[in-house]
């Protein structure tokens, strides 16, 4: 019997290459938000799966022996996305880890980022990659984490940005971050490492750094890329870091979405070299110049495909809003959900009235009106101590004809005193322009005030414990 491998992020360029390496030896389940647009083959079965939904994740991993996690939520996943990528990554990883546990997955393979040794204050991007790794392990399934810094391939994020800079700028003013040392690795070496860990019968609950045979600065990589391209480039170092201005001109020159550029750029302040290595897994053999030559050649052969903006799927008139708040000691997700409804009435008094019935269903209404603004139906079968789920079932502010999957959830982050409050697949009834500049901003304001309130409650609780 061939092992069954489920791959999340199966539409991405790394997975597309991984599929060809695993096909013939394994049965593969490709998980994608648009899985129904792919054709099944003898070895590959595609499943449509939105990992923001725990139910979808459970269905997606059904029958899998091994799960590969190649997901990163840098790009927006709804017409209006409120919240930062790290908070969204928490939900995606938590759903995947819970589903893997429920479906009896034997091991998870995760491709993350190298964590700099001895650094206390990580960039948001690297901190998020480490948090995802921790969450994937939180439910007991063994996780083999492969940590890479810069993957040199024809698609992806980091190398195509670097290549575009070299192609388009005959003269470059190089700030301090271009002298940071890193250890790039070729796409082929990453695929070899993934293949090795997927094929290994062992379930190793550990992390390994991936790196090529050279440690280079970003400037040295630019110089070698220019050599491969046959272009002469004048480069001048300047003594400041200037990440703020760098991110602006990087987006402008490379025409790369800011959602991709900004998190990656802030990681460049850290020296990122392989420290935790494993023989046969970590050590890449292909030099940067060789990998760059291959990547640029592939880019030229497929110019209409390689340097286009990342696909983010068809965007409907839906909303995703994800906020992180402190969770005072001893509080559960359900308690915070019910407390939030009560707090909302006090905060917006006298204009808003709220209620919770015996079955924990909630109503949010406007003073003087019998029709509720929103009705939230509690889902006891999909809720736990660490997750309270409500379906947005009706109300003046929701478009009930389109709101098939609209939901509000309160979710505790594993092994952390923090909570995620998230709205998914919500379709407002207000005209989009009006909604975007009124109700959407009001929601962000209310969430910011509730976050501050919970922070003060947590602070007061800690002070009382010290007395």
């Amino acid at each position: 019997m061939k092992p069954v491998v489920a791959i999340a992020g199966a539409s991405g360029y790394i997975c597309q290459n991984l599929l060809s390496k695993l096909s013939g030896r394994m049965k593969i389940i490709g998980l994608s938000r648009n899985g129904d647009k792919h054709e099944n083959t003898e070895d590959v079965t595609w499943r449509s799966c939105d990992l923001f939904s725990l139910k979808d994740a459970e269905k997606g991993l059904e029958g899998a022996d091994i799960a590969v996690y190649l997901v990163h939520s840098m790009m927006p996943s709804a017409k209006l996305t409120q919240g930062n990528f790290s908070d969204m990554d928490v939900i995606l990883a938590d759903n995947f880890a819970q589903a893997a546990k429920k479906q009896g997955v034997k091991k998870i393979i995760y491709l993350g980022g190298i964590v700099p040794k001895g650094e206390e204050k990580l960039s948001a991007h690297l901190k998020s990659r480490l948090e995802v790794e921790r969450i994937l392990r939180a439910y007991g399934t063994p996780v083999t984490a492969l940590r890479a810094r810069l993957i040199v391939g024809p698609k992806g994020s980091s190398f195509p940005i670097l290549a575009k800079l070299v192609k388009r700028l005959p003269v470059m003013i190089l700030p301090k971050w271009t002298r940071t040392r890193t250890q790039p690795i070729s796409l082929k070496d990453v695929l070899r490492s993934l293949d090795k860990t997927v094929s290994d019968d062992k379930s190793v609950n550990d992390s390994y750094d991936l790196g090529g045979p050279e440690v280079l600065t970003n400037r040295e990589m630019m110089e070698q890329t220019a050599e491969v391209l046959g272009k002469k480039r004048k480069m001048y170092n300047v003594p400041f870091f200037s990440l703020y201005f760098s991110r602006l001109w990087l987006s402008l020159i490379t025409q790369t979405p800011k959602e991709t550029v900004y998190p990656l750029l802030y990681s460049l302040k850290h020296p990122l070299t392989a420290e935790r290595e494993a023989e046969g897994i970590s050590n890449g053999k292909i030099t940067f110049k060789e990998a760059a030559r291959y990547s640029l050649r592939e880019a030229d052969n497929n110019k209409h495909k390689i340097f286009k903006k990342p696909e983010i799927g068809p965007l409907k008139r839906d909303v995703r809003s994800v906020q992180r708040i402190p969770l005072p000691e001893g509080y559960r997700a359900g308690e915070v959900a019910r407390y939030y409804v009560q707090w909302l009435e006090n905060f917006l008094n006298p204009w808003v009235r709220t209620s919770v019935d015996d079955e924990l269903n909630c109503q949010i209404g406007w003073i003087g009106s019998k029709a509720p603004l929103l009705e939230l139906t509690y889902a006891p079968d999909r809720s736990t101590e660490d997750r309270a789920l409500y379906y947005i079932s009706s109300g003046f502010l929701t478009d009930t004809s389109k709101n098939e999957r609209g939901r509000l959830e309160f979710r505790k982050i594993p092994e952390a005193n923090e909570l995620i409050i998230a709205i998914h697949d919500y379709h407002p009834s207000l005209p989009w322009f009006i909604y975007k500049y009124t109700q959407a901003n009001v929601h962000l304001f209310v969430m910011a005030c509730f976050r501050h309130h919970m922070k003060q409650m947590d602070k007061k609780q800690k002070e009382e414990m010290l007395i």
Side-chain angles (χ1 to χ4, degrees), residues 11 32-40 46-48 311 313-314:
S11 297
S32 169
R33 293 189 70 191
N34 302 299
D36 54 350
K37 294 185 177 180
H38 297 271
E39 290 187 11
N40 294 336
W46 289 90
R47 294 177 181 173
S48 289
E311 293 184 6

Side-chain angles (χ1 to χ4, degrees), residues 32-311:
S32 169
R33 293 189 70 191
N34 302 299
D36 54 350
K37 294 185 177 180
H38 297 271
E39 290 187 11
N40 294 336
T41 65
E42 184 179 349
D43 290 322
V44 182
T45 301
W46 289 90
R47 294 177 181 173
S48 289
C49 178
D50 179 4
L51 286 180
F52 281 107
S53 164
L54 177 57
K55 187 180 291 187
D56 274 20
E58 290 170 353
K59 290 179 180 178
L61 291 179
E62 186 176 357
D65 301 307
I66 302 165
V68 181
Y69 192 75
L70 303 174
V71 177
H72 202 352
S73 59
M74 283 186 175
M75 296 302 295
S77 56
K79 183 175 177 64
L80 177 63
T81 300
Q82 296 176 324
N84 62 57
F85 70 89
S86 59
D87 294 342
M88 295 184 197
D89 275 339
V90 165
I91 297 175
L92 297 171
D94 196 38
N95 282 342
F96 194 80
Q98 288 193 53
K101 179 67 173 179
K102 181 174 182 178
Q103 299 296 3
V105 171
K106 296 181 179 66
K107 65 178 178 180
I108 296 173
I109 313 298
Y110 167 56
L111 182 60
I114 289 180
V115 180
K117 188 177 181 179
E119 291 279 352
E120 294 184 1
K121 192 173 182 180
L122 298 176
S123 70
H125 180 252
L126 293 179
K127 186 178 179 181
S128 174
R129 298 286 79 196
L130 191 60
E131 183 176 47
V132 166
E133 185 178 321
R134 175 176 58 77
I135 291 171
L136 290 175
R137 288 197 171 101
Y139 299 93
T141 304
V143 176
T144 302
L146 304 179
R147 300 171 173 177
R149 168 58 191 100
L150 188 149
I151 299 174
V152 185
K155 286 189 181 182
S157 50
S158 299
F159 179 71
I161 292 174
L162 184 147
K164 288 178 186 178
L165 283 177
V166 175
K167 279 186 173 183
R168 297 174 182 178
L169 295 178
V171 178
M172 286 183 272
I173 305 300
L174 302 181
K176 191 176 179 181
W177 59 263
T178 61
R179 273 100 70 194
T180 304
R181 293 170 67 80
T182 191
Q183 196 165 350
I185 184 169
S186 73
L187 172 62
K188 291 182 179 179
D189 281 330
V190 170
L191 294 171
R192 178 182 56 80
S193 298
L194 285 168
D195 185 13
K196 173 70 174 176
T197 50
V198 170
S199 304
D200 198 330
D201 292 334
K202 299 177 183 177
S203 297
V204 181
N205 197 29
D206 208 343
S207 306
Y208 306 113
D209 294 345
L210 304 184
E214 306 158 296
V215 175
L216 303 168
T217 64
N218 289 287
R219 173 175 176 146
E220 288 170 338
M221 288 189 288
M222 291 179 185
E223 290 171 341
Q224 292 192 25
T225 301
E227 288 180 28
V228 172
L229 289 168
K231 296 182 179 293
K232 292 185 177 181
R233 294 292 182 250
K234 293 186 180 297
M235 302 180 187
Y236 300 96
N237 291 340
V238 291
F240 45 82
F241 208 81
S242 69
L243 277 177
Y244 178 78
F245 292 107
S246 293
R247 69 181 192 177
L248 296 178
W249 65 259
L250 271 175
S251 290
L252 178 65
I253 297 300
T254 65
Q255 295 297 295
T256 304
K258 65 180 182 180
E259 292 88 353
T260 299
V261 170
Y262 289 10
L264 292 174
L265 186 61
Y266 280 108
S267 299
L268 294 177
K269 63 182 181 180
H270 303 295
L272 298 174
T273 56
E275 301 286 344
R276 304 190 77 251
E277 298 181 320
E279 189 62 36
I281 295 176
S282 300
N283 312 106
K285 308 299 182 184
I286 301 172
T287 65
F288 174 82
K289 187 178 288 187
E290 185 181 348
R293 185 176 291 109
Y294 165 79
S295 300
L296 293 167
R297 184 173 61 249
E298 288 296 302
D300 285 339
N301 292 339
N302 302 277
K303 192 170 293 185
H304 64 291
K305 298 179 182 178
I306 298 299
F307 285 115
K308 66 180 181 179
K309 290 184 179 181
E311 293 184 6

